[in-house]
Amino acid sequence: MHTDLRSATDVVTGIRFPEGNRWHDGRLWYSDMHTGEVFSVDPDSADGPRVEARVDGQSSGLGWLPDGRLVVSAMESRTIVAVQEDATTSVFADLSTVESSLLNDLVVDEATGRTYVGAFGYDLYGGEELRPGPLYVVEPDGSARLAADGLVFPNSANVLPGTRTLVVSETWGGRLTAFDIAADGSLGGRRTWATLPEGVTPDGSTVDVEGAIWVCSVDTGEFLRVVEGGTVTDRVDAPGRCAIDCALGGADGRTLYLATADSYDPATTARTRAGRISAVRVDVPGR
């Protein structure tokens, strides 16, 4: 499949910077990173988005703990917050004492309840020179420790179905990196899972039942379905847009939700609010 956003159907518009796309409990969930709000929406309903939580500062990755609580990476406070049933939030894991850069996306390992979260590694918005960043593992009790280091802007991550393999996007590294997940949650066996085409900067991602990863390229404005080794099997172009995140969902898992914006500069998105989430149909469903 090779198509573009002109063939997609808009699901949500008027967002500043949609991040953390997830399909959960029959709804599409997402962060508006530049407002710190978390929303969910039923794409088949006319009701529109529902506010699920608000965090101080920028919000990014979303996941669900074994007890059903939503967790959100609060980038600026360098914490992971848990959302209660009444939409109030509390600190689930505080990484501010060990990490000075902004937190990034996260994934919850459904098999163990552990959360993996990356950090920038440097002050991107302040113009600091690029430095590698870390990946942390957070236990279900909220305790955190370093899981891996030396990643070139660790971003989204997925546990491949039927495996104990974690695949992490390295945005400025232009690659997807795999680790073996040990019984205690530690990561080993680091290897390149896929070297991406030249210029591709992987941001958000989602995995399908065949173990292929749909990954967004924020700088080149495209969504790529990649298999291990780097072969691109499908592509959705988003010319002139920042391709930010994606999620597979819908009733049969074959709807690919595509999050884009006109800029990743908060000053620009505050003025334009041109972010949106669109939908296309694909052949291989998500988990």
Side-chain angles (χ1 to χ4, degrees):
M1 180 185 78
H2 187 179
T3 186
D4 62 38
L5 283 187
R6 288 175 296 183
S7 65
T9 302
D10 283 345
V11 176
V12 184
T13 59
I15 315 168
R16 287 181 59 183
F17 198 83
E19 263 281 12
N21 288 201
R22 307 286 189 267
W23 183 262
H24 177 74
D25 199 21
R27 298 176 68 86
L28 177 67
W29 297 63
Y30 60 93
S31 294
D32 192 338
M33 193 177 90
H34 290 171
T35 69
E37 296 169 300
V38 177
F39 298 87
S40 76
V41 64
D42 178 355
D44 296 323
S45 169
D47 291 343
R50 181 174 74 201
V51 178
E52 301 287 355
R54 292 181 174 88
V55 305
D56 292 333
Q58 296 180 328
S59 57
S60 184
L62 308 179
W64 284 264
L65 298 174
D67 63 10
R69 285 181 297 166
L70 168 68
V71 288
V72 185
S73 53
M75 300 173 68
E76 293 173 355
S77 64
R78 304 186 302 286
T79 62
I80 298 173
V81 300
V83 183
Q84 316 304 323
E85 288 187 1
D86 62 359
T88 58
T89 61
S90 60
V91 174
F92 168 64
D94 186 352
L95 288 90
S96 64
T97 59
V98 295
E99 181 55 47
S100 60
S101 67
L102 298 183
L103 293 190
N104 209 346
D105 209 345
L106 63 75
V107 65
V108 176
D109 181 359
E110 295 178 358
T112 65
R114 294 187 177 99
T115 301
Y116 293 88
V117 60
F120 284 22
Y122 71 108
D123 186 358
L124 170 67
Y125 299 123
E128 189 175 17
E129 184 177 351
L130 172 68
R131 290 199 307 271
L135 187 69
Y136 295 96
V137 57
V138 181
E139 296 290 339
D141 65 3
S143 59
R145 66 184 188 278
L146 184 68
D149 209 349
L151 295 159
V152 187
F153 205 80
N155 210 315
S156 62
N158 296 277
V159 179
L160 301 186
T163 77
R164 300 305 298 142
T165 300
L166 182 76
V167 179
V168 181
S169 299
E170 292 190 69
T171 300
W172 310 134
R175 61 180 173 261
L176 304 179
T177 298
F179 296 91
D180 298 322
I181 306 173
D184 67 353
S186 301
L187 300 179
R190 180 173 176 169
R191 58 200 179 275
T192 297
W193 192 83
T195 299
L196 300 173
E198 185 175 356
V200 169
T201 50
D203 193 340
S205 61
T206 189
V207 65
D208 65 29
V209 295
E210 294 182 354
I213 294 176
W214 278 96
V215 65
C216 315
S217 177
V218 65
D219 281 350
T220 60
E222 55 192 332
F223 299 83
L224 309 174
R225 183 180 184 266
V226 183
V227 298
E228 186 173 8
T231 298
V232 175
T233 67
D234 300 86
R235 180 190 307 263
V236 180
D237 294 323
R241 307 281 295 173
C242 297
I244 305 164
D245 207 349
C246 56
L248 285 161
D252 62 359
R254 288 184 168 87
T255 300
L256 180 65
Y257 296 98
L258 312 167
T260 64
D262 58 337
S263 172
Y264 44 73
D265 171 42
T268 300
T269 65
R271 182 179 71 254
T272 61
R273 298 194 72 93
R276 64 179 185 262
I277 301 176
S278 310
V280 297
R281 297 288 289 168
V282 297
D283 294 329
V284 183
R287 290 188 293 178

